[in-house]
Amino acid sequence: MIDKAINKDTKKTILYTLGVFLILSLVFFLITLVIQINADTVSKNDIMSHEEQQLDVEKTIVANKVNRLTTDLLYVSDALKLGDNGRGDYSDVEDHWLAFANRKMIYDQIRFIDADGNEVIRVNYTDDGATLTDSDALQNKADRYYFTETIGLDDDQIYISKLDLNMENNQIEQPIKPMIRLATPYYGARGQLEGIVVLNYAADDMLSQVEKIASTSQGQIFMLNADGYWLYNSGDSSKAWSFMYDNRRDESFKNDFPDIWQAIQTDASGSVISDAGVFNYSKIMSDDEFVLDSDHSLALGLGDWTIVSYIPPDSDDGQLLTGNLFDTVLLVLKNNLFAYFLIFMLALFLGAVLTINKVKNDEIKYFSEYDAMTGIFNRRTGFEKLAQLYKSTEKNESEISVCFIDINGLKDVNDYLGHDVGDELILTITNGIKDKIRVNDFVARLGGDEFLIIFEGLDETGAEAVWQRIVAEFEQINETENRRYVISASHGIETFSGGSNEYIDTIINQADAKMYREKKIIKKDLKIIRDFKPDDATGPVPQ
């Protein structure tokens, strides 16, 4: 019994501990989850806002740079016009251009090409300074794209070529030189078209500024040309300029991220979060966005450029931005493992406290409802159960039988054999009754030797049949067990129906009266104590 009670209490403690742990953990989890989601939302917004600002800064840098380049082109063109005496003597222009190239240090070449495509003036700039090309080294450029694109423009238009690598003799110049060519038509003093003025801009100057800003990005910064190739890649510089090499034509942003490239073609700016990572993008050279500070207009041969901020999915920021609710849940659980351990310890303590409290309450409830000695209902509970049964049968008028029982000779057993033996007699009577009544019947102890059996749905005949089985059990014990007393009990049965409107106390009194009449008859010939002699050592117990 003790082991069963311990096991039962252990199970209660485990259940209480698990229940408290689950409740506290759930509350803690929901609170931390909400906090984490809010913190993640703030962080996501900060990251996205920062990257959008990065793109705006890059866009501004390129726009300002191009504006200065066009201003320089117009300045060089104006210098040509001022130094053109109409006699083919450009010495003043050449001196001016040499000084300008040395001052700027960003123009690989400054050229005047006549209307037939012949170079008239060419100033080259290297690390050693600006030099003037000899007349016999000048070339015809009539077949070059920048000449054909520019010669047909109006005098207030400026052509900007694509950004690519400079080539000499159909070979990529080494070390590589990123180059943009800016050109504008040149009209002489009499208003006739005499050729074009060309600046070869060494774009390393612009790309170095792009790189400086890219170093503050939380991801990687790409600059793409109109065909989806990298002009700049802060994450992997080897991927840039692949379009200049026949064996690398497949290396492009467009091929690596086709869905993102499609989005870029659709919108001038935006952001995309996908399994491939987080992309913020913006066009930085387009006809409808780029406006010169001067009254000239652009003829863009370069197509649109796009600046892209890319945060890989495997980076910390990428995992934050591309993660879903399940990822957040796992993060919350992972970050709070120690807290859950503390919650479990608290739950274990509370579980033990609740178990102790429950055991005490169960004990109080048990002793308020059951007879401590026999384990059956006590008088108060027995009467309450009978009243409930009576109410439940009022509508269907089913029968209930009440059997009032009194143990015969209990006082004699207590007096002559001791109270321990008297208790044994009570328990024998109780157990015999419990063993023979039906599942839906119940028994209550009214006092020391008085009991009440309630038979639900049985008339007096049916109840009497059950009582006879109980009596047979007592007789079996009397015949087979060598006890020093005889087990005997008197009974009285009273039957009533739910709709009889009889008082319960009246019914019990009637059963008690029948029991008393039977007891008077039984006691005439009943000898409870067996073979008792006055000098027996087990004689009467002193009072």
Side-chain angles (χ1 to χ4, degrees):
M1 290 295 290
I2 295 176
D3 290 340
K4 287 183 178 180
I6 293 175
N7 289 335
K8 185 178 179 181
D9 292 344
T10 302
K11 289 180 180 179
K12 284 182 181 178
T13 303
I14 293 173
L15 289 176
Y16 284 139
T17 299
L18 290 177
V20 172
F21 176 73
L22 289 175
I23 293 172
L24 294 180
S25 296
L26 180 60
V27 173
F28 178 77
F29 168 74
L30 291 176
I31 293 174
T32 53
L33 180 62
V34 170
I35 293 174
Q36 186 67 50
I37 289 174
N38 290 335
D40 287 351
T41 300
V42 172
S43 298
K44 289 177 182 179
N45 291 336
D46 288 345
I47 294 171
M48 297 297 284
S49 177
H50 180 270
E51 294 308 292
E52 290 172 3
Q53 292 174 10
Q54 289 287 109
L55 298 187
D56 288 340
V57 172
E58 298 283 19
K59 186 174 181 178
T60 301
I61 286 174
V62 174
N64 290 341
K65 175 58 69 176
V66 173
N67 256 307
R68 287 195 293 271
L69 296 178
T70 58
T71 300
D72 286 350
L73 175 64
L74 296 177
Y75 174 81
V76 169
S77 180
D78 289 343
L80 174 59
K81 185 172 293 187
L82 290 172
D84 186 358
N85 56 20
R87 297 188 300 273
D89 180 8
Y90 297 103
S91 56
D92 288 344
V93 177
E94 291 168 350
D95 291 340
H96 204 129
W97 282 10
L98 285 169
F100 178 80
N102 281 323
R103 175 65 64 183
K104 289 292 185 176
M105 297 186 296
I106 58 174
Y107 295 112
D108 189 62
Q109 291 181 349
I110 305 175
R111 289 178 290 173
F112 169 43
I113 302 174
D114 66 21
D116 296 323
N118 297 309
E119 291 180 331
V120 178
I121 305 173
R122 186 171 80 198
V123 173
N124 295 326
Y125 181 83
T126 65
D127 291 339
D128 296 327
T131 58
L132 186 65
T133 303
D134 294 336
S135 57
D136 58 354
L138 298 176
Q139 302 173 0
N140 183 277
K141 302 294 184 180
D143 60 342
R144 300 302 174 89
Y145 67 87
Y146 54 86
F147 179 82
T148 58
E149 293 286 342
T150 307
I151 198 64
L153 298 179
D154 296 331
D155 61 352
D156 63 348
Q157 290 184 290
I158 296 173
Y159 171 77
I160 301 181
S161 75
K162 61 184 178 180
L163 174 58
D164 59 11
L165 301 180
N166 194 50
M167 299 187 70
E168 292 292 341
N169 300 317
N170 295 321
Q171 297 292 323
I172 297 175
E173 186 177 355
Q174 296 296 329
I176 61 171
K177 287 184 178 181
M179 197 71 63
I180 298 176
R181 294 164 182 84
L182 297 92
T184 188
Y186 174 65
Y187 287 81
R190 294 187 296 275
Q192 74 280 11
L193 178 63
E194 294 188 8
I196 65 172
V197 177
V198 182
L199 289 182
N200 283 19
Y201 168 62
D204 276 336
D205 168 62
M206 180 176 65
L207 294 175
S208 65
Q209 294 185 46
V210 171
E211 181 179 14
K212 185 180 296 184
I213 300 302
S215 65
T216 64
S217 171
Q218 292 178 255
Q220 302 172 15
I221 295 295
F222 304 150
M223 195 161 76
L224 310 176
N225 68 11
D227 297 319
Y229 287 95
W230 282 283
L231 301 174
Y232 174 77
N233 185 326
S234 68
D236 185 357
S237 59
S238 67
K239 290 188 174 183
W241 316 112
S242 59
F243 62 93
M244 297 294 298
Y245 302 89
D246 291 337
N247 62 340
R248 294 176 55 197
R249 296 282 181 175
D250 292 335
E251 297 178 21
S252 67
F253 179 92
K254 175 177 63 177
N255 289 340
D256 285 1
F257 307 104
D259 294 339
I260 311 304
W261 180 248
Q262 185 61 42
I264 291 174
Q265 302 313 297
T266 304
D267 300 310
S269 62
S271 61
V272 177
I273 298 177
S274 70
D275 293 339
V278 181
F279 301 82
N280 286 279
Y281 60 88
S282 180
K283 300 287 181 63
I284 57 174
M285 286 293 287
S286 58
D287 291 327
D288 57 347
E289 290 190 11
F290 193 83
V291 179
L292 292 177
D293 292 338
S294 67
D295 57 358
H296 283 63
S297 62
L298 291 181
L300 296 177
L302 53 95
D304 294 344
W305 289 351
T306 305
I307 195 80
V308 178
S309 161
Y310 169 59
I311 300 178
D314 55 353
S315 66
D316 291 341
D317 289 341
Q319 291 176 0
L320 173 63
L321 291 167
T322 60
N324 51 33
L325 181 60
F326 179 73
D327 296 325
T328 305
V329 168
L330 292 181
L331 179 64
V332 168
L333 294 175
K334 178 181 177 182
N335 291 343
N336 295 285
L337 288 178
F338 183 70
Y340 287 112
F341 171 75
L342 295 179
I343 290 174
F344 177 78
M345 298 305 295
L346 175 61
L348 185 61
F349 170 75
L350 293 177
V353 171
L354 289 173
T355 300
I356 294 172
N357 187 58
K358 181 67 166 58
V359 169
K360 289 183 177 179
N361 289 337
D362 288 347
E363 287 179 355
I364 293 172
K365 186 175 185 297
Y366 178 85
F367 288 117
S368 69
E369 294 181 354
Y370 293 88
D371 178 65
M373 176 182 173
T374 61
I376 61 177
F377 291 132
N378 58 25
R379 179 186 185 90
R380 180 181 63 82
T381 306
F383 275 45
E384 288 178 355
K385 295 288 184 181
L386 178 56
Q388 292 171 4
L389 183 60
Y390 181 81
K391 289 181 180 180
S392 67
T393 58
E394 284 181 339
K395 294 182 180 180
N396 54 31
E397 299 185 359
S398 61
E399 293 182 308
I400 301 172
S401 292
V402 176
C403 179
F404 197 103
I405 301 168
D406 185 275
I407 300 175
N408 295 322
L410 176 60
K411 184 177 183 306
D412 291 341
V413 172
N414 285 331
D415 291 343
Y416 289 95
L417 301 179
H419 285 276
D420 289 343
V421 180
D423 291 345
E424 178 186 75
L425 173 58
I426 294 172
L427 289 173
T428 301
I429 294 290
T430 304
N431 293 333
I433 294 172
K434 289 192 297 185
D435 287 344
K436 298 304 178 181
I437 62 177
R438 302 169 307 161
V439 175
N440 56 330
D441 301 330
F442 63 89
V443 58
R445 186 179 183 185
L446 303 183
D449 57 358
E450 295 179 340
F451 298 85
L452 198 67
I453 304 175
I454 308 301
F455 298 101
E456 181 182 357
L458 285 183
D459 58 13
E460 185 173 345
T461 302
E464 184 63 35
V466 176
W467 172 251
Q468 291 305 318
R469 291 200 296 270
I470 295 171
V471 171
E473 175 70 14
F474 296 159
E475 291 177 351
Q476 175 71 18
I477 295 173
N478 289 333
E479 293 175 2
T480 58
E481 296 183 14
N482 189 26
R483 298 194 185 190
R484 300 190 62 191
Y485 57 87
V486 173
I487 301 171
S488 174
S490 301
H491 82 295
I493 298 176
E494 186 67 23
T495 300
F496 65 96
S497 63
S500 63
N501 294 322
E502 296 183 72
Y503 290 106
I504 293 177
D505 289 345
T506 301
I507 297 168
I508 293 175
N509 289 336
Q510 291 172 351
D512 184 16
K514 290 182 178 181
M515 179 278 298
Y516 184 74
R517 288 196 293 271
E518 182 182 78
K519 192 177 190 69
K520 288 179 65 176
I521 297 172
I522 293 175
K523 286 183 68 175
K524 291 180 180 178
D525 302 316
L526 179 63
K527 182 181 179 183
I528 294 297
I529 306 302
R530 292 174 169 173
D531 301 324
F532 172 73
K533 296 179 181 179
D535 58 348
D536 196 324
T538 59
V541 178
Q543 298 296 314

